[in-house]
Amino acid sequence: MSSHPQDPIREQAAEVVRAALADATQRPVVKSFFDEATFTVSHVVRDPGSKVCAIIDSVLDYEPASGRTSNASADALIDYVKSEDLQVQWLLETHAHADHLSAAPYLQEKLGGRLAIGHEILTVQAVFGKIFNEGTEFRRDGSQFDQLFNDGDRFRIGGLQAMALHVPGHTPACLAYVIGDAVFPGDTMFMPDYGTARCDFPGGDARTLYRSIHRLTALPDEARVYLCHDYKAPPGRDEFAWETTIGAQRTGNIHIRDGVSEDAFVAMRTQRDATLPMPRLILPSVQVNMNGGRPPEPEANGVRYLKVPLNAL
């Protein structure tokens, strides 16, 4: 395994993984749901010893041409949870997504659970609060969420041990969740044949992402990894995929496998990011997601409006 600097929190996360590898009762049951419209994967993560679960990175359907929302993707999660008679303890967000709207408030209304995200959402709220010229009524203290996780915070899903790891770079607030022997890294990295996340959003940084990913690839090779997105890697892969392992990422990720230096990664990522268009839903997504998945309050006519800042991004 590659050499990594001393990182006590990462080592604690590795112990969570090792404990689960030695004890099947600490290995979560994961059911994944793929939304092809946004290429997003949502995960229902269940304690095998109980009916308790968490939902990670849910999707609210949004049609930008009409400005209409719908709940088909979220309803699929609800149907599964109810069919399995599960109890939702957590609604977990890996970050304030720029490519889809979160369905967390809708799910919370229907299923309960505490809504959580990383503490650095405050940074995102400060930056994008200015971009969207939000007034003083927009709270920049993260209070739209029930729980703000710091790096290394521990929690439980039923009897499962879980930890939050701060993995910035794609955004300042990115978290990976280590739940038993399963890792949910958000947008830090994709399938090994597709690579890693972009770093050109406000607050993103390729050098920081390199170091964050190495926090994850220092975890035990056997850890299962459940990704937030897949786009099919060209050429040759015709099926969407979102499950891999830490070992496969460490040895085979085309952008950041063993032997790729930090400077080489930064040069590649910076050059690649300069060619990428902005995500199709970035303006509605960030505007809603930094507010806990809630759209702006209705105006005097009862209609909610999203802003489009011109020439700002």
Side-chain angles (χ1 to χ4, degrees):
M1 182 175 287
S2 300
S3 175
H4 297 273
Q6 188 70 19
D7 184 341
I9 291 175
R10 184 198 63 222
E11 183 53 34
Q12 292 170 28
E15 285 298 327
V16 170
V17 173
R18 284 192 283 266
L21 291 171
D23 179 0
T25 67
Q26 285 296 308
R27 297 175 206 159
V29 177
V30 181
K31 174 71 172 178
S32 301
F33 295 79
F34 184 66
D35 176 56
E36 191 166 350
T38 62
F39 305 102
T40 302
V41 193
S42 304
H43 307 285
V44 179
V45 186
R46 173 182 174 180
D47 171 19
S50 71
K51 295 287 189 177
V52 177
C53 73
I55 297 175
I56 301 179
D57 290 335
S58 61
V59 175
L60 179 71
D61 302 306
Y62 176 72
E63 172 47 58
S66 64
R68 298 198 70 86
T69 63
S70 57
N71 299 311
S73 296
D75 284 341
L77 299 174
I78 293 171
D79 290 345
Y80 173 74
V81 166
K82 289 186 173 180
S83 70
E84 297 292 315
D85 194 29
L86 302 181
Q87 175 191 344
V88 176
Q89 186 173 9
W90 292 100
L91 299 162
L92 302 174
E93 300 287 346
T94 54
H95 61 297
H97 305 273
D99 42 36
H100 71 272
L101 282 66
S102 170
Y106 176 73
L107 293 173
Q108 193 170 42
E109 177 187 346
K110 300 293 185 181
L111 300 173
R114 302 186 71 209
L115 175 57
I117 200 167
H119 188 271
E120 289 305 311
I121 189 65
L122 275 66
T123 301
V124 175
Q125 289 176 333
V127 170
F128 279 94
K130 292 179 181 178
I131 290 173
F132 289 110
N133 197 33
E134 298 286 359
T136 55
E137 67 275 7
F138 174 64
R139 293 163 293 157
R140 294 163 172 83
D141 59 0
S143 58
Q144 300 89 343
F145 301 85
D146 300 309
Q147 177 74 45
L148 300 182
F149 284 124
N150 290 298
D151 188 33
D153 279 353
R154 291 175 175 265
F155 61 104
R156 286 187 174 271
I157 301 168
L160 288 173
Q161 292 189 64
M163 278 188 71
L165 289 181
H166 187 212
V167 286
H170 172 61
T171 79
C174 286
L175 285 185
Y177 295 104
V178 177
I179 304 170
D181 70 328
V183 181
F184 300 85
D187 285 12
T188 56
M189 52 189 174
F190 304 132
M191 289 296 288
D193 59 0
Y194 200 89
T196 57
R198 65 193 297 167
C199 300
D200 58 333
F201 298 152
D205 181 79
R207 199 168 297 278
T208 301
L209 181 64
Y210 179 92
R211 296 171 186 177
S212 291
I213 291 176
H214 275 268
R215 292 192 88 189
L216 298 175
T217 56
L219 297 173
D221 283 354
E222 300 86 353
R224 294 177 287 162
V225 178
Y226 292 89
L227 304 171
C228 186
H229 296 288
D230 189 54
Y231 307 93
K232 297 181 183 175
R237 177 154 65 83
D238 297 323
E239 301 293 329
F240 291 109
W242 48 81
E243 184 177 354
T244 181
T245 65
I246 288 294
Q249 293 283 17
R250 186 176 59 76
T251 61
N253 188 290
I254 60 170
H255 291 167
I256 204 166
R257 62 186 176 274
D258 284 353
V260 175
S261 72
E262 183 173 312
D263 287 343
F265 175 79
V266 169
M268 177 282 300
R269 192 69 264 173
T270 303
Q271 182 179 15
R272 181 177 174 84
D273 288 351
T275 71
L276 299 176
M278 295 300 283
R280 184 174 65 101
L281 297 182
I282 184 172
L283 295 177
S285 294
V286 175
Q287 204 169 158
V288 167
N289 294 340
M290 70 178 184
N291 194 36
R294 299 170 185 86
E297 291 298 314
E299 297 194 6
N301 62 355
V303 177
R304 302 174 189 268
Y305 292 89
L306 293 169
K307 294 181 180 178
V308 177
L310 297 180
N311 306 314
L313 292 176

